Amino acid sequence: MSIVLPPSAYPRSAYPPDVVPARVRRRLLELAEGPEPVSAYVYDGEVAAGRARELREALPEWAAVHYAVKANSFPGVVRALAPYVDGFEVASRAELELALAALRERDREDVPVVAAGPAKSVPVLTALVRAGVEAINAESALELHRISRIAVAEGTTARVALRVNPAGIPVTGSLRMGGEPSQFGVPEPDVPAVLAEALRLPGVEVTGFHIHAASNNLDADSQAACLRWCVEWSARTARAAGFALRHVDVGGGIGVAFEELAGEKPFDVARFGELAARVEPPPGVKVVLEPGRFLVADCGWYAAEVTDVKHSYGSAFAVLRGGINHFQLPTSWDLVHNVAVLPVDRWPEGLPRPEAAGARVTVVGELCTPEDTLLRDVRVDRVRAGDLVVFPYAGSYGWEFAMHSFLGHPVAERHLL
């Protein structure tokens, strides 16, 4: 009987240290000189800005890039992206405030913010209505009624895009939020009835649709086919319902090759832009994309100090000051986040310094659970207690996605280059 291993257990060798950019290495070694064991994220805002420029320049004029703040809400990263994106996508009051602050710094008078989330509370909806955001992506008939009631009480009208869960869509990804039963959006067969109800509400202005069905797709052709499908479906549905379509939000979904350094093929932005340019939205329709992971994944590195190297029944373990309480994504999604080992020369005199050399090592964290395992059986030239284990591609869903409070250890620091 064959045993099927998860991707995190496939044999691989650690990256060489020079995979980590020189200025990131310098910053991490500076942190290693401090009194506390290192457990930190380092972000490079210029990398995120470069990704945003690359995508924006590849797309036609009718497309708008709204950064999904949930991917990385560190204020320095949000500010670095602000000049190079058309707006923001938010899912909470805290994210809304970050987006508004970044827009104020750019002297923007409009509010190019779209808002998502399957369970928006009345306080969240109230903040969105008061801010006058570009579109609230309404998830249900009840949410539409709540938005209308709040808007009427505020003496205004809220712009709304109806979130749709399509029956089928030409795109795949590691996460699916459409084309199957889910808590997201209105099922496609129910759209006509819900849309008719929305068009009668006094505090709601329906401007279009939000269709985000999958995430982390690396295939540019299918991503472009999805965009085309969303635009064409939205145009047909708006005509049938009798309202002027002005807004189509196709969500995020552009993927990241987490093992690009080992040869995994990245998303082809130029090809996606070329295919997107062949789509013809109706005149005056804005097509919104909400990339998050794609813009920020490779702008961040998570580094944790090796507190011990342990050998147990023929296996070696590098035990980190950190783990899923700081960087949960590899475990929760079983994504492969390979590592580089950054040697640190400093070590207290008189203490033994355990190591593993020319061996396969499993990288684990400090929590009292065997689930705190970030990478299995990676071959290292050498790793010692006191060295730093560095995870590239940690700029998205890293610090924000972690279990900060479990066991009460200090949270990971965050630093902007």
Side-chain angles (χ1 to χ4, degrees):
M1 182 180 69
S2 62
I3 298 175
V4 179
L5 298 175
S8 60
Y10 294 169
R12 60 181 43 80
S13 295
Y15 299 134
D18 59 8
V19 157
V20 182
R23 64 184 191 146
V24 177
R25 295 200 304 270
R26 286 194 297 269
R27 185 70 182 109
L28 291 174
L29 291 174
E30 288 172 2
L31 294 174
E33 293 293 323
E36 298 294 329
V38 173
S39 189
Y41 286 87
V42 173
Y43 303 121
D44 188 338
E46 292 180 7
V47 172
R51 284 289 187 193
R53 287 196 301 269
E54 177 191 19
L55 181 60
R56 177 61 274 175
E57 291 168 3
L59 292 170
E61 284 299 316
W62 45 255
V65 175
H66 283 41
Y67 170 56
V69 178
K70 64 176 72 66
N72 187 325
S73 60
F74 189 57
V77 172
V78 176
R79 288 196 300 270
L81 282 168
Y84 306 105
V85 296
D86 300 295
F88 297 95
E89 183 268 338
V90 304
S92 68
R93 284 188 289 178
E95 290 185 0
L96 174 62
E97 287 304 315
L98 280 170
L100 294 177
L103 292 169
R104 284 193 294 269
E105 288 186 10
R106 304 300 304 173
D107 294 324
R108 293 288 296 264
E109 294 183 0
D110 58 337
V111 188
V113 172
V114 296
K120 302 180 199 71
S121 66
V122 168
V124 168
L125 292 172
T126 301
L128 294 168
V129 171
R130 288 175 176 170
V133 299
E134 181 178 320
I136 303 173
N137 295 327
E139 296 271 351
S140 68
L142 175 57
E143 188 167 284
L144 284 162
H145 279 269
R146 285 182 172 139
I147 295 168
S148 180
R149 178 171 292 189
I150 293 165
V152 169
E154 295 287 327
T156 188
T157 302
R159 290 170 290 183
V160 165
L162 185 66
R163 181 166 186 176
V164 177
N165 178 351
I169 200 163
V171 68
T172 59
S174 58
L175 285 180
R176 290 189 64 84
M177 289 145 289
E180 59 187 36
S182 82
Q183 69 269 44
F184 299 103
V186 176
E188 186 177 345
D190 300 338
V191 166
V194 174
L195 193 53
E197 192 171 356
L199 293 171
R200 291 193 296 266
L201 293 172
V204 163
E205 179 187 1
V206 180
T207 61
F209 300 98
H210 175 218
I211 309 172
H212 176 49
S215 182
N216 205 34
N217 177 33
L218 286 172
D219 180 56
D221 285 52
S222 67
Q223 193 70 23
C226 177
L227 185 151
R228 175 183 291 277
W229 186 94
C230 291
V231 170
E232 293 177 352
W233 182 93
S234 297
R236 290 195 307 270
T237 306
R239 281 197 303 269
F243 76 94
L245 180 69
R246 301 196 306 278
H247 179 99
V248 178
D249 186 338
V250 301
I254 300 176
V256 169
F258 287 100
E259 288 205 284
E260 182 179 351
L261 296 170
E264 187 178 15
K265 188 177 179 181
F267 185 84
D268 190 336
V269 175
R271 172 69 174 168
F272 176 63
E274 174 190 340
L275 294 173
R278 300 176 188 174
V279 179
E280 297 183 3
V285 172
K286 181 182 192 180
V287 180
V288 174
L289 289 77
E290 301 174 0
R293 178 186 297 106
F294 175 77
L295 298 186
V296 294
D298 59 348
C299 86
W301 294 262
Y302 171 61
E305 185 170 321
V306 180
T307 62
D308 204 349
V309 176
K310 304 178 72 173
H311 297 267
S312 177
Y313 298 105
S315 296
F317 296 85
V319 186
L320 305 184
R321 156 65 187 114
I324 60 174
N325 53 329
H326 294 166
F327 189 44
Q328 188 183 358
L329 191 62
T331 301
S332 61
W333 279 14
D334 201 22
L335 290 174
V336 174
H337 271 81
N338 203 353
V339 298
V341 177
L342 188 58
V344 175
D345 294 331
R346 191 180 71 160
W347 185 253
E349 186 176 352
L351 276 183
R353 192 172 191 183
E355 67 174 49
R360 297 201 177 278
V361 174
T362 293
V363 181
V364 300
E366 62 189 341
L367 302 183
C368 300
T369 170
E371 294 179 357
D372 193 7
T373 300
L374 300 182
L375 185 63
R376 301 177 190 274
D377 294 329
V378 60
R379 193 185 189 285
V380 298
D381 291 336
R382 184 173 72 161
V383 61
R384 304 168 294 178
D387 289 339
L388 300 182
V389 169
V390 185
F391 294 80
Y393 296 99
S396 64
Y397 301 105
W399 190 93
E400 288 75 10
F401 200 60
M403 303 168 60
H404 298 297
S405 297
F406 187 47
L407 296 193
H409 291 297
V411 300
E413 297 176 354
R414 292 182 289 175
H415 302 271
L416 187 73
L417 292 176

